[in-house]
Amino acid sequence: MDETYDVIVLGTGLKECILSGLLSVDGLKVLHMDRNDYYGGESTSLNLVQLWKHFKGNDKPPEQLGTSREYNVDMIPKACKFNLFFMMANGSLVRILIHTGVTKYLNFKAVDGSYVYKKKKIYKVPATDVEALKSPLMGLFEKRRARKFFIYVQDYDENDPKSHEKLDLNKVTAKELISKYGLEDDTIDFIGHALALHNEDSYLAQPALNFVKRMKLYAESLARFQGGSPYIYPLYGLGELPQAFARLSAVYGGTYMLNKPECKVEFDGDGKVIGVTSEGETAKCNKVVCDPSYLSDKVKKVGKVARAVCVMSHPIPDTNDSHSAQVILPQKQLGRKSDMYVFCCSYAHNVAPKGKYIAFVSAEAETDNPEQELKPGVDLLGSVDEIFYDTYDRYVPTNDHQADNCFISASYDSTTHFETTVIDVMEIYTKITGKVLDLSVDLSAASAAEE
């Protein structure tokens, strides 16, 4: 271990493993360490016995829940405990998977349905002008207005001024753009939150370009596999992702050391990182990448996420018997400051025994009572075999990375898609390398498994 590395990465969570892979591909000498004796940190997936032990303190789950080894329950984020992410088929993470060639280590399956909550009911999310005309979310005249807006978004090309209709989306706000089409508040709700995937309403006061791009990403991803949603999900759960990027890093010369206690980051007299010490040995380095738990004095708490994980024997009601689905509950529908998310996978994605479903509910915590706070989402699930509640604190880095050469990832938020995760990864990558990651790839290189 007494060697010098360009970068030492601490923790084998998903963000850290993606960065380890990207930096190794770039030719940097990378050492990747974790205090655990397994890959993934708490981005790993648990079988039923492990899940039971984690929450119940024993390893004897009821026999009627099925065989333990057939469960793969995701443990994201790092801090704890449960979060399930879907990937946009044309989104940033899929582009990174293709860019690095990690797709050869993974198999994906399309997610069956994408839904939105309105007035205590759930509806399929319309993403095109044709779907808008068919959607029961809107009345007849609102459908026509929404159709015109969807056509504008579909036809918008940043490089073609003719498609802009004399609107500069770098100056016009999202609210001003939407008002041009006279859309109702409930329509704005599902467009902004279930299509553009904003988790609160501050986007309305910002330039409309990003809002329109996010809507186009949703529609393009939906068309990609011609399924019921724009999302794909790895077979056997998200625990496969960190391992795949770890494999990539190793192929390009990265060194992995698991079960390394303490992992103390060492600094020189000027406060710049010089290495990492574990078990009396110090590996020297120029830079350190880590999650917040490794440098707790260089982060601050910015919130808390409440989560519930449920084992069920049926799909989420009113989702057309979908084996996998996401439901977004916009903040205004619940009188909250941010959205709530409900999502599930099942034996169809090899995360549970046949006939069993794993459902999750997540939200940014606004109270100290997760059970009561998550009730609107949990109520959508119907009967559950087992339910567990959990919360975790969210942290962001406070350090000056130029001064100490420490690059700390932010805690995972409550969203159910990977776009915010990849933004953090790409920003850290650019800070380390001075380069912007080129994600202009051939998306046909990734495919989803057939039913």
Side-chain angles (χ1 to χ4, degrees):
M1 184 167 146
D2 294 318
E3 293 185 43
T4 300
Y5 297 85
D6 295 313
V7 181
I8 294 179
V9 181
L10 300 178
T12 51
L14 179 58
K15 291 182 182 182
E16 289 70 40
C17 284
I18 293 175
L19 285 164
S20 177
L22 290 172
L23 297 172
S24 295
V25 169
D26 276 0
L28 298 183
K29 187 177 181 181
V30 176
L31 171 63
H32 204 146
M33 302 167 67
D34 196 309
R35 59 173 73 98
N36 297 307
D37 60 358
Y38 53 85
Y39 288 107
E42 291 195 9
S43 300
T44 190
S45 298
L46 300 183
N47 62 36
L48 187 60
V49 168
Q50 292 168 329
L51 179 70
W52 219 257
K53 190 171 184 178
H54 180 82
F55 281 103
K56 300 283 192 178
N58 65 67
D59 56 2
K60 296 181 180 179
E63 291 184 6
Q64 63 265 29
L65 293 182
T67 306
S68 173
R69 67 176 180 273
E70 292 188 83
Y71 282 87
N72 292 288
V73 181
D74 296 319
M75 289 288 286
I76 288 181
K78 173 70 184 73
C80 67
K81 295 294 184 205
F82 291 98
N83 188 7
L84 182 75
F85 290 94
F86 293 142
M87 279 171 267
M88 296 285 270
N90 278 21
S92 301
L93 180 56
V94 171
R95 290 175 182 273
I96 287 180
L97 291 170
I98 296 170
H99 171 80
T100 56
V102 168
T103 47
K104 62 177 172 278
Y105 303 129
L106 298 163
N107 290 305
F108 296 91
K109 189 178 178 68
V111 173
D112 294 336
S114 178
Y115 298 84
V116 65
Y117 177 89
K118 176 186 174 184
K119 297 178 180 177
K120 298 186 178 181
K121 293 183 179 180
I122 58 177
Y123 301 86
K124 187 181 184 303
V125 177
T128 65
D129 60 310
V130 175
E131 289 190 345
L133 285 175
K134 297 177 181 178
S135 175
L137 269 169
M138 300 168 285
L140 178 60
F141 294 109
E142 182 69 357
K143 286 180 180 179
R144 291 175 179 173
R145 290 188 288 266
R147 179 177 180 272
K148 291 179 180 178
F149 178 66
F150 280 125
I151 290 174
Y152 171 79
V153 171
Q154 287 167 205
D155 292 345
Y156 183 86
D157 182 345
E158 194 173 0
N159 299 314
D160 180 8
K162 292 181 181 179
S163 70
H164 299 180
E165 296 186 7
K166 297 181 180 180
L167 295 173
D168 184 351
L169 298 193
N170 286 304
K171 296 179 180 178
V172 174
T173 66
K175 185 175 183 178
E176 290 169 339
L177 174 63
I178 293 168
S179 66
K180 180 177 183 288
Y181 293 87
L183 300 179
E184 297 172 358
D185 286 347
D186 284 346
T187 305
I188 296 171
D189 244 10
F190 84 73
I191 288 175
H193 294 258
L195 288 176
L197 300 178
H198 292 286
N199 67 349
E200 38 82 27
D201 283 344
S202 63
Y203 76 94
L204 289 167
Q206 298 168 1
L209 182 59
N210 183 52
F211 166 62
V212 169
K213 284 183 174 180
R214 290 168 76 122
M215 284 190 65
K216 289 179 72 70
L217 171 62
Y218 188 102
E220 290 163 1
S221 297
L222 182 66
R224 178 78 189 288
F225 297 121
Q226 299 180 343
S229 86
Y231 306 108
I232 58 176
Y233 186 79
L235 297 181
Y236 301 101
L238 295 177
E240 297 294 298
L241 283 172
Q243 293 185 61
F245 280 101
R247 204 169 297 145
L248 173 72
S249 178
V251 167
Y252 282 86
T255 301
Y256 274 78
M257 294 184 180
L258 302 180
N259 199 23
K260 300 296 289 184
E262 295 183 12
C263 292
K264 181 185 176 185
V265 181
E266 305 286 358
F267 298 90
D268 64 17
D270 296 324
K272 246 186 210 323
V273 68
I274 55 173
V276 176
T277 299
S278 177
E279 298 180 310
E281 294 182 298
T282 299
K284 298 176 183 178
C285 66
N286 300 317
K287 296 178 176 68
V288 161
V289 174
C290 66
D291 68 55
S293 70
Y294 285 89
L295 285 172
S296 57
D297 60 333
K298 292 180 179 286
V299 298
K300 68 176 180 179
K301 179 181 173 180
V302 292
K304 179 181 287 189
V305 174
R307 304 196 181 275
V309 58
C310 308
V311 180
M312 310 194 303
S313 298
H314 58 83
I316 297 175
D318 302 318
T319 60
N320 197 30
D321 293 329
S322 297
H323 285 175
S324 53
Q326 171 177 257
V327 185
I328 294 179
L329 291 73
Q331 60 179 91
K332 286 183 179 177
Q333 297 294 323
L334 304 175
R336 289 174 46 82
K337 297 176 183 176
S338 60
D339 295 352
M340 186 175 297
Y341 301 88
V342 176
F343 35 91
C344 81
C345 279
S346 69
Y347 58 94
H349 278 87
N350 298 338
V351 299
K354 189 169 180 61
K356 293 297 182 183
Y357 296 74
I358 308 295
F360 298 78
V361 183
S362 65
E364 189 74 20
E366 297 176 7
T367 72
D368 293 325
N369 188 341
E371 292 188 32
Q372 186 61 35
E373 191 163 2
L374 297 176
K375 190 175 187 299
V378 173
D379 285 349
L380 295 178
L381 302 179
S383 61
V384 299
D385 299 334
E386 292 290 341
I387 185 168
F388 307 98
Y389 290 94
D390 212 344
T391 61
Y392 74 91
D393 294 329
R394 285 200 304 113
Y395 296 93
V396 296
T398 58
N399 66 309
D400 178 358
H401 68 272
Q402 293 179 322
D404 59 17
N405 278 344
C406 294
F407 302 85
I408 308 169
S409 62
S411 301
Y412 297 86
D413 60 21
S414 61
T415 57
T416 53
H417 54 84
F418 267 115
E419 298 309 297
T420 55
T421 298
V422 175
I423 288 171
D424 192 27
V425 168
M426 292 174 69
E427 287 178 350
I428 293 173
Y429 174 84
T430 298
K431 290 174 182 176
I432 293 172
T433 65
K435 300 186 298 183
V436 176
L437 189 64
D438 180 11
L439 295 182
S440 54
V441 296
D442 177 11
L443 286 164
S444 65
S447 61
E450 298 293 332
E451 288 290 342

PDB file of all heavy atoms in Angstrom, residues 336-364:
ATOM      1  N   ARG A 336     -47.125  20.082   0.216  1.00  0.00           N
ATOM      2  CA  ARG A 336     -45.754  19.959   0.686  1.00  0.00           C
ATOM      3  C   ARG A 336     -44.861  20.977  -0.012  1.00  0.00           C
ATOM      4  O   ARG A 336     -45.286  21.689  -0.916  1.00  0.00           O
ATOM      5  CB  ARG A 336     -45.222  18.541   0.390  1.00  0.00           C
ATOM      6  CG  ARG A 336     -45.817  17.442   1.233  1.00  0.00           C
ATOM      7  CD  ARG A 336     -45.324  16.060   0.765  1.00  0.00           C
ATOM      8  NE  ARG A 336     -43.882  16.032   0.541  1.00  0.00           N
ATOM      9  CZ  ARG A 336     -42.979  15.860   1.502  1.00  0.00           C
ATOM     10  NH1 ARG A 336     -43.358  15.667   2.748  1.00  0.00           N
ATOM     11  NH2 ARG A 336     -41.685  15.853   1.204  1.00  0.00           N
ATOM     12  N   LYS A 337     -43.597  21.010   0.407  1.00  0.00           N
ATOM     13  CA  LYS A 337     -42.607  21.885  -0.212  1.00  0.00           C
ATOM     14  C   LYS A 337     -41.867  21.181  -1.342  1.00  0.00           C
ATOM     15  O   LYS A 337     -41.208  21.832  -2.148  1.00  0.00           O
ATOM     16  CB  LYS A 337     -41.603  22.371   0.835  1.00  0.00           C
ATOM     17  CG  LYS A 337     -42.221  23.210   1.949  1.00  0.00           C
ATOM     18  CD  LYS A 337     -41.180  23.562   3.003  1.00  0.00           C
ATOM     19  CE  LYS A 337     -41.789  24.339   4.153  1.00  0.00           C
ATOM     20  NZ  LYS A 337     -40.792  24.612   5.227  1.00  0.00           N
ATOM     21  N   SER A 338     -41.923  19.857  -1.384  1.00  0.00           N
ATOM     22  CA  SER A 338     -41.258  19.085  -2.440  1.00  0.00           C
ATOM     23  C   SER A 338     -42.050  17.810  -2.705  1.00  0.00           C
ATOM     24  O   SER A 338     -42.944  17.433  -1.931  1.00  0.00           O
ATOM     25  CB  SER A 338     -39.815  18.740  -2.045  1.00  0.00           C
ATOM     26  OG  SER A 338     -39.794  17.981  -0.855  1.00  0.00           O
ATOM     27  N   ASP A 339     -41.699  17.128  -3.791  1.00  0.00           N
ATOM     28  CA  ASP A 339     -42.469  15.971  -4.246  1.00  0.00           C
ATOM     29  C   ASP A 339     -42.242  14.724  -3.388  1.00  0.00           C
ATOM     30  O   ASP A 339     -41.251  14.610  -2.667  1.00  0.00           O
ATOM     31  CB  ASP A 339     -42.103  15.632  -5.688  1.00  0.00           C
ATOM     32  CG  ASP A 339     -42.496  16.713  -6.663  1.00  0.00           C
ATOM     33  OD1 ASP A 339     -43.197  17.666  -6.254  1.00  0.00           O
ATOM     34  OD2 ASP A 339     -42.098  16.619  -7.847  1.00  0.00           O
ATOM     35  N   MET A 340     -43.168  13.784  -3.548  1.00  0.00           N
ATOM     36  CA  MET A 340     -43.036  12.453  -2.966  1.00  0.00           C
ATOM     37  C   MET A 340     -42.996  11.455  -4.119  1.00  0.00           C
ATOM     38  O   MET A 340     -43.601  11.688  -5.170  1.00  0.00           O
ATOM     39  CB  MET A 340     -44.211  12.146  -2.036  1.00  0.00           C
ATOM     40  CG  MET A 340     -44.102  10.835  -1.260  1.00  0.00           C
ATOM     41  SD  MET A 340     -45.467  10.624  -0.068  1.00  0.00           S
ATOM     42  CE  MET A 340     -45.178  12.006   1.038  1.00  0.00           C
ATOM     43  N   TYR A 341     -42.263  10.355  -3.914  1.00  0.00           N
ATOM     44  CA  TYR A 341     -42.081   9.373  -4.974  1.00  0.00           C
ATOM     45  C   TYR A 341     -42.490   7.981  -4.497  1.00  0.00           C
ATOM     46  O   TYR A 341     -42.164   7.568  -3.387  1.00  0.00           O
ATOM     47  CB  TYR A 341     -40.622   9.323  -5.421  1.00  0.00           C
ATOM     48  CG  TYR A 341     -40.105  10.650  -5.923  1.00  0.00           C
ATOM     49  CD1 TYR A 341     -39.555  11.571  -5.044  1.00  0.00           C
ATOM     50  CD2 TYR A 341     -40.190  10.978  -7.265  1.00  0.00           C
ATOM     51  CE1 TYR A 341     -39.094  12.796  -5.503  1.00  0.00           C
ATOM     52  CE2 TYR A 341     -39.734  12.193  -7.736  1.00  0.00           C
ATOM     53  CZ  TYR A 341     -39.184  13.104  -6.843  1.00  0.00           C
ATOM     54  OH  TYR A 341     -38.736  14.319  -7.287  1.00  0.00           O
ATOM     55  N   VAL A 342     -43.220   7.268  -5.357  1.00  0.00           N
ATOM     56  CA  VAL A 342     -43.582   5.873  -5.105  1.00  0.00           C
ATOM     57  C   VAL A 342     -43.090   5.074  -6.302  1.00  0.00           C
ATOM     58  O   VAL A 342     -43.256   5.493  -7.447  1.00  0.00           O
ATOM     59  CB  VAL A 342     -45.106   5.700  -4.958  1.00  0.00           C
ATOM     60  CG1 VAL A 342     -45.468   4.227  -4.784  1.00  0.00           C
ATOM     61  CG2 VAL A 342     -45.637   6.527  -3.806  1.00  0.00           C
ATOM     62  N   PHE A 343     -42.470   3.937  -6.051  1.00  0.00           N
ATOM     63  CA  PHE A 343     -41.953   3.143  -7.156  1.00  0.00           C
ATOM     64  C   PHE A 343     -41.826   1.696  -6.722  1.00  0.00           C
ATOM     65  O   PHE A 343     -41.718   1.395  -5.528  1.00  0.00           O
ATOM     66  CB  PHE A 343     -40.607   3.675  -7.640  1.00  0.00           C
ATOM     67  CG  PHE A 343     -39.749   4.236  -6.535  1.00  0.00           C
ATOM     68  CD1 PHE A 343     -38.841   3.445  -5.857  1.00  0.00           C
ATOM     69  CD2 PHE A 343     -39.877   5.558  -6.170  1.00  0.00           C
ATOM     70  CE1 PHE A 343     -38.072   3.968  -4.839  1.00  0.00           C
ATOM     71  CE2 PHE A 343     -39.108   6.092  -5.140  1.00  0.00           C
ATOM     72  CZ  PHE A 343     -38.204   5.302  -4.481  1.00  0.00           C
ATOM     73  N   CYS A 344     -41.846   0.807  -7.684  1.00  0.00           N
ATOM     74  CA  CYS A 344     -41.734  -0.610  -7.341  1.00  0.00           C
ATOM     75  C   CYS A 344     -41.032  -1.378  -8.445  1.00  0.00           C
ATOM     76  O   CYS A 344     -40.997  -0.960  -9.605  1.00  0.00           O
ATOM     77  CB  CYS A 344     -43.107  -1.219  -7.063  1.00  0.00           C
ATOM     78  SG  CYS A 344     -44.026  -1.679  -8.538  1.00  0.00           S
ATOM     79  N   CYS A 345     -40.447  -2.494  -8.052  1.00  0.00           N
ATOM     80  CA  CYS A 345     -39.939  -3.508  -8.970  1.00  0.00           C
ATOM     81  C   CYS A 345     -40.421  -4.851  -8.438  1.00  0.00           C
ATOM     82  O   CYS A 345     -40.998  -4.928  -7.354  1.00  0.00           O
ATOM     83  CB  CYS A 345     -38.420  -3.474  -9.052  1.00  0.00           C
ATOM     84  SG  CYS A 345     -37.795  -2.191 -10.161  1.00  0.00           S
ATOM     85  N   SER A 346     -40.139  -5.893  -9.173  1.00  0.00           N
ATOM     86  CA  SER A 346     -40.689  -7.192  -8.782  1.00  0.00           C
ATOM     87  C   SER A 346     -39.799  -8.318  -9.265  1.00  0.00           C
ATOM     88  O   SER A 346     -38.661  -8.105  -9.694  1.00  0.00           O
ATOM     89  CB  SER A 346     -42.084  -7.359  -9.384  1.00  0.00           C
ATOM     90  OG  SER A 346     -41.988  -7.486 -10.797  1.00  0.00           O
ATOM     91  N   TYR A 347     -40.356  -9.509  -9.235  1.00  0.00           N
ATOM     92  CA  TYR A 347     -39.642 -10.676  -9.731  1.00  0.00           C
ATOM     93  C   TYR A 347     -39.288 -10.517 -11.209  1.00  0.00           C
ATOM     94  O   TYR A 347     -38.362 -11.159 -11.699  1.00  0.00           O
ATOM     95  CB  TYR A 347     -40.476 -11.947  -9.523  1.00  0.00           C
ATOM     96  CG  TYR A 347     -41.841 -11.931 -10.182  1.00  0.00           C
ATOM     97  CD1 TYR A 347     -42.026 -12.469 -11.447  1.00  0.00           C
ATOM     98  CD2 TYR A 347     -42.941 -11.389  -9.545  1.00  0.00           C
ATOM     99  CE1 TYR A 347     -43.269 -12.476 -12.063  1.00  0.00           C
ATOM    100  CE2 TYR A 347     -44.192 -11.377 -10.144  1.00  0.00           C
ATOM    101  CZ  TYR A 347     -44.347 -11.921 -11.404  1.00  0.00           C
ATOM    102  OH  TYR A 347     -45.590 -11.908 -11.999  1.00  0.00           O
ATOM    103  N   ALA A 348     -40.001  -9.641 -11.936  1.00  0.00           N
ATOM    104  CA  ALA A 348     -39.696  -9.427 -13.352  1.00  0.00           C
ATOM    105  C   ALA A 348     -38.304  -8.840 -13.548  1.00  0.00           C
ATOM    106  O   ALA A 348     -37.689  -9.017 -14.599  1.00  0.00           O
ATOM    107  CB  ALA A 348     -40.743  -8.495 -13.983  1.00  0.00           C
ATOM    108  N   HIS A 349     -37.792  -8.119 -12.529  1.00  0.00           N
ATOM    109  CA  HIS A 349     -36.429  -7.573 -12.584  1.00  0.00           C
ATOM    110  C   HIS A 349     -35.472  -8.388 -11.700  1.00  0.00           C
ATOM    111  O   HIS A 349     -34.372  -7.936 -11.387  1.00  0.00           O
ATOM    112  CB  HIS A 349     -36.415  -6.116 -12.131  1.00  0.00           C
ATOM    113  CG  HIS A 349     -36.811  -5.148 -13.206  1.00  0.00           C
ATOM    114  ND1 HIS A 349     -38.119  -4.816 -13.449  1.00  0.00           N
ATOM    115  CD2 HIS A 349     -36.076  -4.461 -14.109  1.00  0.00           C
ATOM    116  CE1 HIS A 349     -38.168  -3.949 -14.458  1.00  0.00           C
ATOM    117  NE2 HIS A 349     -36.942  -3.728 -14.874  1.00  0.00           N
ATOM    118  N   ASN A 350     -35.916  -9.571 -11.277  1.00  0.00           N
ATOM    119  CA  ASN A 350     -35.092 -10.464 -10.457  1.00  0.00           C
ATOM    120  C   ASN A 350     -34.670  -9.831  -9.131  1.00  0.00           C
ATOM    121  O   ASN A 350     -33.549 -10.027  -8.663  1.00  0.00           O
ATOM    122  CB  ASN A 350     -33.841 -10.915 -11.225  1.00  0.00           C
ATOM    123  CG  ASN A 350     -34.186 -11.711 -12.464  1.00  0.00           C
ATOM    124  OD1 ASN A 350     -35.268 -12.276 -12.580  1.00  0.00           O
ATOM    125  ND2 ASN A 350     -33.268 -11.759 -13.414  1.00  0.00           N
ATOM    126  N   VAL A 351     -35.576  -9.076  -8.510  1.00  0.00           N
ATOM    127  CA  VAL A 351     -35.279  -8.491  -7.204  1.00  0.00           C
ATOM    128  C   VAL A 351     -36.128  -9.114  -6.097  1.00  0.00           C
ATOM    129  O   VAL A 351     -36.000  -8.731  -4.933  1.00  0.00           O
ATOM    130  CB  VAL A 351     -35.483  -6.953  -7.212  1.00  0.00           C
ATOM    131  CG1 VAL A 351     -34.549  -6.305  -8.202  1.00  0.00           C
ATOM    132  CG2 VAL A 351     -36.935  -6.583  -7.484  1.00  0.00           C
ATOM    133  N   ALA A 352     -36.969 -10.078  -6.445  1.00  0.00           N
ATOM    134  CA  ALA A 352     -37.838 -10.736  -5.463  1.00  0.00           C
ATOM    135  C   ALA A 352     -38.299 -12.068  -6.038  1.00  0.00           C
ATOM    136  O   ALA A 352     -38.233 -12.284  -7.250  1.00  0.00           O
ATOM    137  CB  ALA A 352     -39.040  -9.842  -5.137  1.00  0.00           C
ATOM    138  N   PRO A 353     -38.777 -12.988  -5.180  1.00  0.00           N
ATOM    139  CA  PRO A 353     -39.299 -14.268  -5.683  1.00  0.00           C
ATOM    140  C   PRO A 353     -40.546 -14.044  -6.543  1.00  0.00           C
ATOM    141  O   PRO A 353     -41.184 -12.989  -6.470  1.00  0.00           O
ATOM    142  CB  PRO A 353     -39.647 -15.037  -4.403  1.00  0.00           C
ATOM    143  CG  PRO A 353     -38.951 -14.336  -3.306  1.00  0.00           C
ATOM    144  CD  PRO A 353     -38.833 -12.906  -3.718  1.00  0.00           C
ATOM    145  N   LYS A 354     -40.895 -15.005  -7.330  1.00  0.00           N
ATOM    146  CA  LYS A 354     -42.070 -14.904  -8.194  1.00  0.00           C
ATOM    147  C   LYS A 354     -43.307 -14.586  -7.359  1.00  0.00           C
ATOM    148  O   LYS A 354     -43.551 -15.194  -6.320  1.00  0.00           O
ATOM    149  CB  LYS A 354     -42.283 -16.198  -8.976  1.00  0.00           C
ATOM    150  CG  LYS A 354     -43.354 -16.092 -10.052  1.00  0.00           C
ATOM    151  CD  LYS A 354     -43.353 -17.293 -10.957  1.00  0.00           C
ATOM    152  CE  LYS A 354     -44.425 -17.179 -12.044  1.00  0.00           C
ATOM    153  NZ  LYS A 354     -44.227 -16.010 -12.916  1.00  0.00           N
ATOM    154  N   GLY A 355     -44.050 -13.598  -7.813  1.00  0.00           N
ATOM    155  CA  GLY A 355     -45.260 -13.194  -7.107  1.00  0.00           C
ATOM    156  C   GLY A 355     -45.049 -12.116  -6.058  1.00  0.00           C
ATOM    157  O   GLY A 355     -46.016 -11.647  -5.455  1.00  0.00           O
ATOM    158  N   LYS A 356     -43.790 -11.708  -5.839  1.00  0.00           N
ATOM    159  CA  LYS A 356     -43.506 -10.684  -4.823  1.00  0.00           C
ATOM    160  C   LYS A 356     -43.023  -9.387  -5.476  1.00  0.00           C
ATOM    161  O   LYS A 356     -42.385  -9.401  -6.523  1.00  0.00           O
ATOM    162  CB  LYS A 356     -42.445 -11.185  -3.832  1.00  0.00           C
ATOM    163  CG  LYS A 356     -42.908 -12.343  -2.963  1.00  0.00           C
ATOM    164  CD  LYS A 356     -44.077 -11.949  -2.068  1.00  0.00           C
ATOM    165  CE  LYS A 356     -44.501 -13.108  -1.182  1.00  0.00           C
ATOM    166  NZ  LYS A 356     -45.687 -12.755  -0.348  1.00  0.00           N
ATOM    167  N   TYR A 357     -43.339  -8.291  -4.816  1.00  0.00           N
ATOM    168  CA  TYR A 357     -42.994  -6.954  -5.289  1.00  0.00           C
ATOM    169  C   TYR A 357     -42.307  -6.185  -4.161  1.00  0.00           C
ATOM    170  O   TYR A 357     -42.654  -6.343  -2.992  1.00  0.00           O
ATOM    171  CB  TYR A 357     -44.251  -6.187  -5.710  1.00  0.00           C
ATOM    172  CG  TYR A 357     -44.989  -6.802  -6.884  1.00  0.00           C
ATOM    173  CD1 TYR A 357     -45.742  -7.975  -6.730  1.00  0.00           C
ATOM    174  CD2 TYR A 357     -44.943  -6.219  -8.142  1.00  0.00           C
ATOM    175  CE1 TYR A 357     -46.413  -8.540  -7.796  1.00  0.00           C
ATOM    176  CE2 TYR A 357     -45.613  -6.770  -9.223  1.00  0.00           C
ATOM    177  CZ  TYR A 357     -46.352  -7.934  -9.047  1.00  0.00           C
ATOM    178  OH  TYR A 357     -47.016  -8.497 -10.110  1.00  0.00           O
ATOM    179  N   ILE A 358     -41.337  -5.370  -4.532  1.00  0.00           N
ATOM    180  CA  ILE A 358     -40.685  -4.471  -3.574  1.00  0.00           C
ATOM    181  C   ILE A 358     -41.101  -3.049  -3.941  1.00  0.00           C
ATOM    182  O   ILE A 358     -40.825  -2.573  -5.047  1.00  0.00           O
ATOM    183  CB  ILE A 358     -39.146  -4.571  -3.626  1.00  0.00           C
ATOM    184  CG1 ILE A 358     -38.692  -6.027  -3.502  1.00  0.00           C
ATOM    185  CG2 ILE A 358     -38.522  -3.704  -2.544  1.00  0.00           C
ATOM    186  CD1 ILE A 358     -39.006  -6.663  -2.175  1.00  0.00           C
ATOM    187  N   ALA A 359     -41.794  -2.374  -3.019  1.00  0.00           N
ATOM    188  CA  ALA A 359     -42.254  -1.003  -3.266  1.00  0.00           C
ATOM    189  C   ALA A 359     -41.565  -0.047  -2.305  1.00  0.00           C
ATOM    190  O   ALA A 359     -41.306  -0.391  -1.145  1.00  0.00           O
ATOM    191  CB  ALA A 359     -43.766  -0.916  -3.093  1.00  0.00           C
ATOM    192  N   PHE A 360     -41.260   1.138  -2.804  1.00  0.00           N
ATOM    193  CA  PHE A 360     -40.591   2.162  -2.012  1.00  0.00           C
ATOM    194  C   PHE A 360     -41.371   3.465  -2.062  1.00  0.00           C
ATOM    195  O   PHE A 360     -41.978   3.794  -3.082  1.00  0.00           O
ATOM    196  CB  PHE A 360     -39.183   2.432  -2.554  1.00  0.00           C
ATOM    197  CG  PHE A 360     -38.256   1.262  -2.501  1.00  0.00           C
ATOM    198  CD1 PHE A 360     -38.341   0.247  -3.443  1.00  0.00           C
ATOM    199  CD2 PHE A 360     -37.288   1.181  -1.520  1.00  0.00           C
ATOM    200  CE1 PHE A 360     -37.483  -0.831  -3.402  1.00  0.00           C
ATOM    201  CE2 PHE A 360     -36.408   0.105  -1.475  1.00  0.00           C
ATOM    202  CZ  PHE A 360     -36.508  -0.901  -2.410  1.00  0.00           C
ATOM    203  N   VAL A 361     -41.336   4.197  -0.973  1.00  0.00           N
ATOM    204  CA  VAL A 361     -41.893   5.542  -0.915  1.00  0.00           C
ATOM    205  C   VAL A 361     -40.798   6.445  -0.357  1.00  0.00           C
ATOM    206  O   VAL A 361     -40.157   6.098   0.639  1.00  0.00           O
ATOM    207  CB  VAL A 361     -43.136   5.613  -0.007  1.00  0.00           C
ATOM    208  CG1 VAL A 361     -43.727   7.020  -0.032  1.00  0.00           C
ATOM    209  CG2 VAL A 361     -44.185   4.592  -0.435  1.00  0.00           C
ATOM    210  N   SER A 362     -40.552   7.586  -0.999  1.00  0.00           N
ATOM    211  CA  SER A 362     -39.492   8.475  -0.519  1.00  0.00           C
ATOM    212  C   SER A 362     -39.901   9.927  -0.675  1.00  0.00           C
ATOM    213  O   SER A 362     -40.668  10.280  -1.572  1.00  0.00           O
ATOM    214  CB  SER A 362     -38.180   8.217  -1.267  1.00  0.00           C
ATOM    215  OG  SER A 362     -38.324   8.539  -2.635  1.00  0.00           O
ATOM    216  N   ALA A 363     -39.385  10.758   0.217  1.00  0.00           N
ATOM    217  CA  ALA A 363     -39.656  12.196   0.168  1.00  0.00           C
ATOM    218  C   ALA A 363     -38.628  12.928   1.011  1.00  0.00           C
ATOM    219  O   ALA A 363     -38.053  12.356   1.949  1.00  0.00           O
ATOM    220  CB  ALA A 363     -41.059  12.499   0.685  1.00  0.00           C
ATOM    221  N   GLU A 364     -38.393  14.170   0.681  1.00  0.00           N
ATOM    222  CA  GLU A 364     -37.588  15.025   1.538  1.00  0.00           C
ATOM    223  C   GLU A 364     -38.372  15.212   2.834  1.00  0.00           C
ATOM    224  O   GLU A 364     -39.535  15.629   2.821  1.00  0.00           O
ATOM    225  CB  GLU A 364     -37.344  16.372   0.862  1.00  0.00           C
ATOM    226  CG  GLU A 364     -36.351  17.254   1.571  1.00  0.00           C
ATOM    227  CD  GLU A 364     -34.914  16.796   1.409  1.00  0.00           C
ATOM    228  OE1 GLU A 364     -34.623  16.034   0.465  1.00  0.00           O
ATOM    229  OE2 GLU A 364     -34.078  17.216   2.238  1.00  0.00           O
TER     230      GLU A 364
END
